[in-house]
Amino acid sequence: MPKRAHIVISALLAPMSLCLAMPAHAATPNADDGAEAWTPTQSSIRANAAGISLPQTVAGLSLAKSGEASSGGRAIDNYAQYLSEDGAIQATLYVYMPTYADASLAAYMTDKAIMERFGSQTRRTAYASAPAAGQAGRAIRAVYDDAADGALVTAAGFVHAGRWIAKIRITGPSERRAQVLAGLDGMLSGLAFDDAASLHATAPAAFSACPAADTGDARLEKAEPATPTVPLDVRIPREGKDALCVRDAVTTADRRYDMLQQAGRSDGPIIVPVDDSGTVLAFDPAAETRGYKLSIHMVGQTDLYGTYDKVPSPRQIAAIIDGKDAQTAQAQSVATYAANGDVTVNQLTPTAH
């Protein structure tokens, strides 16, 4: 999985004592494996907090190891790695909790990452809704041939269950394409959910071009003292349920990102997906005043920033992503999500320089 963008987030800020708690992929596996995130049985492995299980042996693949990909000890960003007997086919199930959860968006960003990583010869040969847990249209299935100059076939599957995303990635030699696809389909059909009703219907996102929009710089309004509150959901259709359009392109030092909004609505929220691990910038119309509030959504965390008088320009958003916007570094609060759904909100004050 690609490294997250260099966004200036709450690590640069010091928390005040005010704190409240109330109810309310993923990175590459590292050495800080959190076995407590998973419960193995004789035949399966279960991501405890998410209530998602997969057989330990499926379609010629066997569980090799499991743990936490990041946020060690919080059980919100978990992986289970599977291998063929000879190790030539590798698959990983990621079970993670982004605070902006959308399987359609996860598939879109993973598609971009795969195309970027494996080269221009890579061909997308399947990209459509698929069944999960015996329910039609509850997953997205994607297949890519001729990756790595024709040497590899790689594939992916995506499911949104409750607050969680389950993402499958599998790769193997091109001459063993049938086994790679059998592994993907076996893992998708083998997924079991404690609450099958929590699965969201999903479909690949479709994007058109938005009408021309104002691209001038926005002004960050003066921050007013406020009581920390749990973030509201960004009010934009998800899971391919409504057409989105590309408002503009954001070009940073090393990458290009799309500014997305709901087609036919110039006054709605704007989102900028940053990576395939669930990082999303959101500009949401402010309820109490004119303007747009910035929030940055990640796995298990949302950073809440100030209000702009209008949607920031692509140049300003690029500065935010690159960590070069000093104004935006003045976060107001950070919401941290536990695996059980509890949210803790900390009000922040800038660290002295």
Side-chain angles (χ1 to χ4, degrees):
M1 311 284 282
K3 185 177 180 181
R4 289 187 173 89
H6 302 294
I7 295 175
V8 178
I9 56 174
S10 56
L12 301 179
L13 304 165
M16 296 176 62
S17 58
L18 182 58
C19 176
L20 59 95
M22 63 184 68
H25 101 277
T28 303
N30 59 29
D32 297 324
D33 291 347
E36 67 277 3
W38 299 88
T39 296
T41 68
Q42 287 187 339
S43 61
S44 67
I45 187 166
R46 178 176 182 272
N48 300 323
I52 298 175
S53 304
L54 188 66
Q56 291 197 34
T57 301
V58 55
L61 303 171
S62 298
L63 178 68
K65 65 176 183 176
S66 63
E68 291 189 59
S70 66
S71 304
R74 293 177 60 195
I76 59 169
D77 193 2
N78 315 302
Y79 75 93
Q81 188 176 59
Y82 287 71
L83 299 172
S84 61
E85 187 173 357
D86 62 359
I89 299 174
Q90 302 181 17
T92 304
L93 167 66
Y94 297 94
V95 178
Y96 59 106
M97 189 180 71
T99 58
Y100 188 99
D102 183 343
S104 180
L105 195 61
Y108 165 66
M109 292 304 291
T110 300
D111 179 90
K112 293 182 69 172
I114 287 172
M115 292 298 192
E116 181 180 289
R117 176 181 177 184
F118 287 111
S120 59
Q121 190 174 331
T122 306
R123 295 182 300 116
R124 184 192 306 106
T125 54
Y127 194 74
S129 294
Q135 300 181 55
R138 292 315 194 261
I140 294 175
R141 178 182 180 274
V143 179
Y144 303 84
D145 286 295
D146 294 328
D149 296 325
L152 301 174
V153 59
T154 189
F158 308 85
V159 179
H160 182 184
R163 296 173 290 110
W164 299 84
I165 297 292
K167 172 177 174 175
I168 297 165
R169 281 295 316 279
I170 180 167
T171 301
S174 289
E175 62 269 21
R176 294 171 66 173
R177 182 180 191 273
Q179 291 171 267
V180 171
L181 299 192
L184 172 66
D185 294 336
M187 293 178 80
L188 274 174
S189 62
L191 286 172
F193 302 85
D194 289 2
D195 180 10
S198 70
L199 271 66
H200 295 249
T202 187
F207 304 113
S208 59
C210 298
D214 178 9
T215 58
D217 285 355
R219 184 181 70 253
L220 186 63
E221 303 287 4
K222 181 179 178 181
E224 299 293 338
T227 302
T229 57
V230 174
L232 298 175
D233 257 352
V234 179
R235 301 183 297 276
I236 194 168
R238 305 188 194 184
E239 304 302 348
K241 293 177 181 176
D242 201 349
L244 302 179
C245 63
V246 180
R247 177 188 177 101
D248 215 322
V250 175
T251 303
T252 67
D254 58 0
R255 201 159 294 175
R256 180 185 180 280
Y257 306 92
D258 292 329
M259 295 174 64
L260 304 175
Q261 69 184 43
Q262 187 176 357
R265 285 207 56 183
S266 59
D267 59 345
I270 311 295
I271 60 170
V272 183
V274 172
D275 60 27
D276 64 337
S277 302
T279 305
V280 175
L281 275 67
F283 298 91
D284 220 7
E288 67 280 1
T289 183
R290 294 182 61 186
Y292 284 77
K293 283 191 171 183
L294 167 62
S295 55
I296 299 179
H297 301 260
M298 295 157 279
V299 174
Q301 179 175 314
T302 296
D303 289 4
L304 302 167
Y305 293 84
T307 301
Y308 292 85
D309 64 341
K310 62 180 181 179
V311 177
S313 67
R315 183 199 67 80
Q316 287 177 301
I317 296 174
I320 294 169
I321 294 173
D322 279 338
K324 296 179 179 178
D325 181 25
Q327 284 186 313
T328 305
Q330 310 303 306
Q332 294 180 344
S333 57
V334 169
T336 303
Y337 292 68
N340 66 2
D342 287 350
V343 185
T344 300
V345 182
N346 289 297
Q347 187 175 9
L348 301 175
T349 55
T351 302
H353 294 285

